[in-house]
Amino acid sequence: MSNLKNMNETLLAKIKEEVSESIFELWFQDLKIIKLTESAIFMSVESDVQLLRIRDKYMDQMKFWIKECFDLDMQIKLYHNQFGKITDEELERDAAEIRKNAGNDSGVTFNRADTSDGGANGEADRINEIIVQKNDNIQPGKNDIIYDGKQNFKLDYTFENFVVGNSNRFTFTACTDVAKYPASRYNPLFIYAPPGLGKTHLLYAITNEYAKNYGNAKIIYVKGEEFTNQLINSLSERTSNYFREKYRNADILLVDDIQFIAGKNSTQEEFFHTFNSLYESKKQIVLTSDCPPRDIKLLEDRLTSRFESGLITDIQPPDLELRIAILKQKAKDMDIDVSNDVLLFLAENITSNIRQIEGAIKKLNAYAFLNNSQITVDLARACILDILSGTEPVNVTVEKVLNLVASKYNVPVEEIKGRKRTQDIATARHISIYILRKITDMSLPSIGKIYGRDHSTIISAIDSITEKYNNDGSIRVQVDDIIKMAKS
Ligand code: ADP
Ligand code: MG
């Protein structure tokens, strides 16, 4: 036991060093190591809120801290004591379970073991269930890294392996400057480009480089969508102070795809204050988007003007030279031997998007491997047929749009195509019609056929959504989201 106690003290001291005082007091001060087995470390906190918070926000760090303190790569099992202390039997039962499953585990599990009277205790059961359910969605560190400069994140996205050409040189240089001289030259740095041209790569490269240059800094990388989700969660969990503090304490804040906050009032409000607070305390802000600030629909004017107040820079589609250089680099990274003929063929035919270039070369490699054949121009042609033919067939698009609308509005596809006129169903139907008209070349009668209706019905659906699209911000954002997904 004294062993565990020592470990506990070491771990807490470590955490105290790593997080701010208020965060420590809020979430960690009563964290206890309660059991240790050969493959797992069992810990408890007092409340389920703490458990959720640690699980959602600190799991990557926790593994890292444990590794640093004890050099152990352990499964972490976290409990809360909200319904009374965890008993030894419960722990032993879970430990046995872990031993049984050893080898095929994700590495991190969370729960509040059933209390011994679990069946009778409805409340405990319910909460346990929510936790378990949330458990399925854990993707530590996926969108949101806050790290302390020692952890590396996405090491493969660096400045070194970003291939520079005419179309991205200026932006590249601005990014390296920001990582070296934060908040002194360009603040904010605003990067825009269509998808697949390297925005996210550059943001990660900045975080990696910045972490190297400034050891103990708080770096926050977050996607616009995730920022929105976190804000909403923090409001419903009543943890908005924590949220606020987290962002306003950053040394550098990178928000990827900031356009997602447009049209969402409370998110824009919060981001406005975050922005000001960081800006005033001379912290670097880097933003990306698919278009320049003033073209982001439904972005508040005060945000547009903030975003325009630093340096705005874009990335253009790569020219032939750059495409060849990128192909060479990717082939090298993936350790694939590709002849110049093939490289040139690919570079000439995939022109707009670097993600596609990368996809093509991966696919090519897989084809060659599976067929046990050489990578020839013919094979390459076969491989990128779908890209060469440009857009996908209309029926694929129709299906995609219907499915997207169905899931967004929670109405089955058959009902969207059917006759019912309840409000939900009609709205979903009209929106899908509007989108099909907007993104395909289909005629009104052929759209009508999908729904078994004549073209005048289709026109009135389009008119009604056009009107809403122009006047109702939330509809516009929903429609644009669906269009974006349908096109991706
Ligand atoms: P975006 O965020 O603009 O949609 P990404 O940064 O995700 O684009 O880039 C798509 C893919 O293309 C990534 O795998 C990235 O590494 C690669 N990529 C983009 N630009 C370059 C470049 N100049 N050099 C090397 N790889 C690149
Ligand atoms: Mg991106």
Side-chain angles (χ1 to χ4, degrees), residues 199-200 223 256-257 355:
K199 298 182 297 294
T200 297
K223 294 204 183 288
D256 207 357
D257 295 319
R355 192 174 285 123

Side-chain angles (χ1 to χ4, degrees), residues 331-385:
K332 197 171 132 223
D333 289 350
M334 295 178 213
D335 211 7
I336 305 172
D337 210 8
V338 191
S339 69
N340 281 337
D341 289 2
V342 172
L343 285 183
L344 196 61
F345 171 79
L346 291 174
E348 275 176 337
N349 285 288
I350 310 177
T351 52
S352 61
N353 185 320
I354 293 170
R355 192 174 285 123
Q356 278 182 337
I357 293 183
E358 214 171 40
I361 199 149
K362 273 187 201 153
K363 195 165 158 193
L364 195 54
N365 186 46
Y367 263 48
F369 179 77
L370 288 173
N371 300 323
N372 199 10
S373 59
Q374 291 279 15
I375 300 183
T376 61
V377 172
D378 281 344
L379 186 67
R381 184 175 294 113
C383 245
I384 61 168
L385 217 57

Side-chain angles (χ1 to χ4, degrees), residues 290-313:
D290 57 356
C291 60
R294 63 182 53 228
D295 293 349
I296 301 179
K297 279 184 225 140
L298 299 178
L299 185 68
E300 287 177 4
D301 288 344
R302 56 182 181 167
L303 283 174
T304 309
S305 73
R306 290 290 184 291
F307 294 175
E308 287 177 338
S309 66
L311 178 70
I312 302 182
T313 166

Side-chain angles (χ1 to χ4, degrees), residues 156-157 161-165 168 193-202 256-257 288 315 322 326 329-330 353-355 358:
D156 47 339
Y157 283 171
N161 65 13
F162 189 84
V163 185
V164 182
N168 60 22
L197 295 187
K199 298 182 297 294
T200 297
H201 186 132
L202 283 171
D256 207 357
D257 295 319
T288 73
I315 307 176
L322 180 59
I326 290 172
Q329 160 95 30
K330 298 287 170 188
N353 185 320
I354 293 170
R355 192 174 285 123
E358 214 171 40

